[in-house]
Amino acid sequence: MVGIDNSAAQLATARRLQREYGLALTLIHGNAEQVPYPDASFDLAISEYGACLWADPYRWVAEAARILRPGGALIFLVNSALLTLCMPEADDLAASDRLLRPAFGMHRIEWPGDTGVEFHLSHGDWLRLLRRSGFEIEDLIEVQAPEAGTTRYPFVTLQWARQWPSEEIWKARRRADDETWLGQA
C-alpha cells in the first residue's frame, strides 16, 4: 500500500497513525498528478477529498488510469455537484436551497479569503473525463445524511444533507482492453 499527499502535515498524521495502529504502508510527499511509480503498478486507487478535490481532475484522473492495472478500480469521494452549486462564497455560511453559481463550466473554484483552489466537475464532465481516460463507471452513490447523523462542517447543515446529496462516491474500473493510459487520454 502506498499513500501520497502534498501536505507534510497530513503525512505527519499518517505516520503517527501508522505507529499507533501498526500499519505498514509507504508514504510519499508528492502530487497525485504525477505519481512516481511505473505504469500499471496498482489494483486500486482511492481518494477521499484528497486528489479529487485539490488536484486538477484533468490531470489526476489520467494519472490514475496510468498507474492502475487493466481492471483496476478507482474510488473517490467528493462534494456533490449540487452542494457546490448551492454554497455561498462567504466563509462559514451553509449551503442554501438556491443555485448560486452556474452548473456549466464548473472546474476550478477559488473561494474568497482562501488561498487554496478546489476542483469540482458536473456529472456530465466527470462521466466524459472518466470514459475518455479509459474507465467504466460502475456506480455513483449520492450520500444522504442519516436521521441520527451530525455535521461538523459550517458549509452544510444536517437538514440540507438529508434533503440533497452533499457528498458523492464515484466507483470506476479501468477497462481491461483500453490503452488510453499510455498518455493518449
Side-chain angles (χ1 to χ4, degrees):
M1 290 188 293
V2 175
I4 186 168
D5 203 298
N6 63 1
S7 165
Q10 287 287 73
L11 290 170
T13 299
R15 286 185 186 93
R16 180 183 53 78
L17 292 171
Q18 268 186 300
R19 289 188 302 274
E20 185 176 332
Y21 293 100
L23 302 172
L25 61 128
T26 302
L27 296 172
I28 298 171
H29 189 211
N31 187 330
E33 295 174 2
Q34 295 179 317
V35 178
Y37 276 83
D39 297 350
S41 291
F42 299 97
D43 294 313
L44 174 64
I46 299 174
S47 175
E48 180 184 354
Y49 290 107
C52 58
L53 181 62
W54 306 109
D56 189 328
Y58 293 102
R59 293 183 180 146
W60 77 259
V61 169
E63 184 68 349
R66 183 190 70 78
I67 63 171
L68 282 170
R69 293 181 182 102
L74 172 63
I75 301 170
F76 59 97
L77 175 73
V78 294
N79 291 330
S80 76
L82 183 58
L83 176 65
T84 303
L85 296 175
C86 294
M87 286 178 50
E89 288 189 356
D91 284 343
D92 297 333
L93 290 180
S96 76
D97 62 354
R98 303 200 187 288
L99 299 174
L100 301 175
R101 65 181 36 82
F104 297 111
M106 265 199 314
H107 175 233
R108 181 184 171 101
I109 296 182
E110 298 180 48
W111 301 100
D114 188 348
T115 59
V117 174
E118 293 181 10
F119 294 92
H120 299 277
L121 298 180
S122 68
H123 288 159
D125 288 342
W126 274 121
L127 291 168
R128 283 182 289 281
L129 174 59
L130 289 163
R131 292 188 54 73
R132 186 176 63 238
S133 298
F135 288 101
E136 291 183 9
I137 292 84
E138 292 186 337
D139 203 357
L140 167 58
I141 301 165
E142 296 170 303
V143 179
Q144 180 180 25
E147 287 298 318
T150 61
T151 182
R152 64 178 188 233
Y153 302 108
F155 58 86
V156 63
T157 65
L158 189 56
Q159 179 184 1
W160 196 100
R162 285 187 183 137
Q163 295 179 76
W164 301 291
S166 60
E167 298 177 311
E168 299 171 348
I169 302 168
W170 289 81
K171 295 180 180 182
R173 187 162 305 275
R174 175 125 175 268
R175 288 191 295 269
D177 62 344
D178 192 75
E179 297 297 323
T180 59
W181 60 273
L182 293 172
Q184 301 167 10

